[in-house]
C-alpha cells in the first residue's frame, strides 16, 4: 500500500511538472527585496498581491475571539506587509510608475476616519482593545473654555481692589496696636533726647552745635509737669501737618522785607539812571545786598 501511494505521488508529480513545462507557466515567487525587481508590470503585480494579503489579514483580525496572542501576531504581520508595500511603491516610483503615496487610496479606520500618519506601528481591529493598547486611543478631555473679558469683569467687585479688607475686624485692631506702640516709642525717644540735652550730652564730637532759632510764636506753658507730659502724648496721637514746601525762617522774612523797603525807597526818590549807576558800582565793588 505504501509503495503504490508513493508511485501515485511520483506519477502525479511528474504529470504536474510535464503540464507546467507544456504550458510554459511557472509559478513565480515574490522577491524578498523590492530592489531586485526591475520590471514595472511585475512590481505592480507584487504590490497588488501584498494588498490582497493585507485585506485578508485585516478581515481576520476583526474577530476578537482569536485570542490575545493570535491577534498580536496578525497585527505584527499586517504592519510587516505595510512596510513591504511601501518598499514596492518606492521601487515602482523609481521605475517610472505612479507615486501611490500621493495618488493611492487613503487608509481609513473602522469609523471611516483617515488614519493619521503613514509611519510607525499601527493597530487594527481587535488589536485596539488589547490591554495596554486601549489607553493609547483614549482621547484627552478637551481643555476648559477660556472666559471672555466680559465674563471676567463680572466677578470683579470692591473686594478685588482691597476696599473691604478692614471689614473683617482683624486688621484694624492690629493696626491700632502697632500705632500705639510706635507712638509710645517715639515719645520715649523724645523724652530721652530732652533729658540728654538738659545734661549737655547731646553735643556731637567734632561738630559745632547749631544755634536754635528763637520761636517768636512760642507761649510759656502754665501746666504742671504731669499735665505737660499728658498734653505731649495727646499731641503725638493727633495727626501732624507736614509741609511739602520750604517754609522761610524769621530771619529770612526780615531780610526779604528789608530788601523790599530799600527797593521801594529807591524807586520813589532815585532816578532810573542813578539806580543803574548804583548797580554798576556794586558789581564793580563786589557788593551784593
Amino acid at each position: 500500500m505504501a509503495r503504490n501511494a508513493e508511485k501515485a505521488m511520483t506519477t502525479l508529480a511528474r504529470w504536474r511538472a510535464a503540464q507546467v513545462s507544456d504550458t510554459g507557466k511557472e509559478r513565480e515567487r515574490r522577491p524578498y527585496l523590492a530592489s531586485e525587481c526591475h520590471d514595472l508590470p511585475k512590481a505592480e503585480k507584487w504590490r497588488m498581491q501584498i494588498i490582497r494579503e493585507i485585506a485578508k489579514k485585516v478581515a481576520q483580525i476583526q474577530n476578537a475571539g482569536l485570542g490575545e496572542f493570535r491577534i498580536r501576531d496578525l497585527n505584527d504581520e499586517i504592519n510587516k506587509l505595510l512596510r513591504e508595500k511601501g518598499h514596492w511603491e518606492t521601487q515602482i516610483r523609481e521605475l517610472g510608475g505612479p507615486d501611490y503615496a500621493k495618488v493611492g487610496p487613503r487608509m481609513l479606520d473602522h469609523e471611516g476616519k483617515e488614519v493619521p500618519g503613514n509611519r510607525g506601528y499601527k493597530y487594527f481591529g481587535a488589536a485596539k482593545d488589547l490591554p495596554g493598547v486601549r489607553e493609547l486611543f483614549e482621547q484627552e478631555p478637551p481643555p476648559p473654555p477660556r472666559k471672555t473679558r466680559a465674563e471676567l469683569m463680572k466677578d470683579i467687585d470692591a473686594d478685588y481692589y482691597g476696599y473691604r479688607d478692614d471689614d473683617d475686624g482683624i486688621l484694624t485692631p492690629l493696626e491700632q496696636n502697632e500705632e500705639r506702640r510706635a507712638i509710645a516709642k517715639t515719645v520715649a525717644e523724645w523724652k530721652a533726647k530732652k533729658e540728654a540735652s538738659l545734661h549737655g550730652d547731646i553735643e556731637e564730637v567734632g561738630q559745632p552745635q547749631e544755634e536754635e532759632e528763637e520761636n517768636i510764636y512760642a507761649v510759656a506753658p502754665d501746666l504742671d509737669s504731669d499735665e505737660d507730659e499728658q498734653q505731649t502724648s495727646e499731641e503725638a496721637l493727633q495727626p501732624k501737618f507736614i509741609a511739602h514746601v520750604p517754609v522761610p525762617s524769621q530771619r529770612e522774612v526780615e531780610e526779604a522785607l528789608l530788601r523790599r523797603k530799600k527797593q521801594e525807597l529807591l524807586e520813589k526818590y532815585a532816578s532810573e539812571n542813578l539806580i543803574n549807576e548804583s548797580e554798576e558800582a556794586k558789581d564793580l565793588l563786589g557788593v551784593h545786598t
Side-chain angles (χ1 to χ4, degrees):
M1 292 293 294
R3 190 168 183 79
N4 293 334
E6 291 176 1
K7 288 182 179 179
M9 291 299 295
T10 305
T11 306
L12 180 60
R14 291 178 180 178
W15 175 81
R16 180 59 181 168
Q19 187 181 11
V20 170
S21 61
D22 291 340
T23 57
K25 294 182 179 179
E26 186 177 357
R27 185 177 181 181
E28 295 180 342
R29 296 184 61 183
R30 187 168 67 233
Y32 182 75
L33 298 176
S35 58
E36 296 178 356
C37 180
H38 301 285
D39 190 4
L40 182 59
K42 288 186 178 181
E44 294 275 1
K45 183 182 70 171
W46 301 135
R47 176 182 174 273
M48 290 302 301
Q49 184 182 9
I50 294 173
I51 291 175
R52 286 192 293 269
E53 292 179 6
I54 292 174
K56 182 180 178 181
K57 292 183 182 296
V58 168
Q60 293 177 1
I61 204 173
Q62 303 299 326
N63 185 8
L66 295 176
E68 179 181 351
F69 298 102
R70 178 56 181 162
I71 290 174
R72 290 186 183 275
D73 292 341
L74 281 174
N75 201 77
D76 292 339
E77 293 173 3
I78 292 172
N79 280 272
K80 182 179 178 181
L81 290 172
L82 286 174
R83 289 194 298 270
E84 188 175 356
K85 182 174 77 72
H87 297 329
W88 282 104
E89 290 176 352
T90 303
Q91 183 67 15
I92 290 171
R93 187 174 65 251
E94 292 179 357
L95 294 175
D99 188 0
Y100 289 102
K102 295 182 179 179
V103 301
R106 302 290 182 181
M107 185 181 297
L108 305 177
D109 57 5
H110 64 282
E111 296 180 357
K113 298 180 181 179
E114 184 178 354
V115 177
N118 293 323
R119 295 181 180 179
Y121 194 88
K122 299 180 177 62
Y123 294 92
F124 300 89
K128 295 181 180 180
D129 297 328
L130 294 175
V133 182
R134 189 183 303 107
E135 290 78 4
L136 299 176
F137 292 92
E138 291 180 356
Q139 296 182 355
E140 296 182 358
R146 296 184 60 183
K147 292 185 178 181
T148 61
R149 185 179 293 273
E151 293 175 350
L152 293 174
M153 293 298 292
K154 289 180 181 179
D155 300 332
I156 294 178
D157 52 4
D159 293 334
Y160 178 81
Y161 295 101
Y163 291 142
R164 298 177 184 172
D165 290 347
D166 300 339
D167 296 346
D168 53 1
I170 299 175
L171 187 61
T172 302
L174 294 176
E175 290 180 349
Q176 291 176 353
N177 293 334
E178 289 296 329
E179 186 178 359
R180 293 193 192 98
R181 192 179 294 109
I183 291 172
K185 182 179 179 182
T186 305
V187 172
E189 291 177 356
W190 178 80
K191 288 181 180 179
K193 287 182 180 179
K194 188 175 181 180
E195 292 178 358
S197 62
L198 292 176
H199 294 290
D201 298 336
I202 199 170
E203 294 183 5
E204 295 182 0
V205 180
Q207 292 186 357
Q209 184 177 1
E210 294 185 358
E211 226 180 89
E212 291 187 1
E213 187 177 357
E214 183 182 359
N215 187 6
I216 62 175
Y217 304 105
V219 179
D222 297 334
L223 302 175
D224 295 337
S225 59
D226 295 335
E227 295 178 356
D228 189 11
E229 292 178 0
Q230 183 179 1
Q231 184 179 2
T232 304
S233 60
E234 291 178 355
E235 290 177 358
L237 291 173
Q238 294 178 357
K240 297 181 180 180
F241 174 77
I242 300 175
H244 297 281
V245 294
V247 179
S249 63
Q250 184 179 356
R251 187 179 300 172
E252 293 176 352
V253 172
E254 291 176 355
E255 291 178 356
L257 291 174
L258 182 60
R259 286 196 300 270
R260 184 175 178 182
K261 286 290 184 180
K262 287 181 179 180
Q263 188 67 27
E264 291 177 354
L265 290 174
L266 285 174
E267 292 178 355
K268 184 175 181 181
Y269 296 105
S271 62
E272 188 174 359
N273 294 331
L274 184 60
I275 294 173
N276 294 334
E277 291 177 359
S278 176
E279 293 291 338
E280 291 178 359
K282 289 179 180 179
D283 293 339
L284 292 174
L285 297 174
V287 178
H288 298 283
T289 59

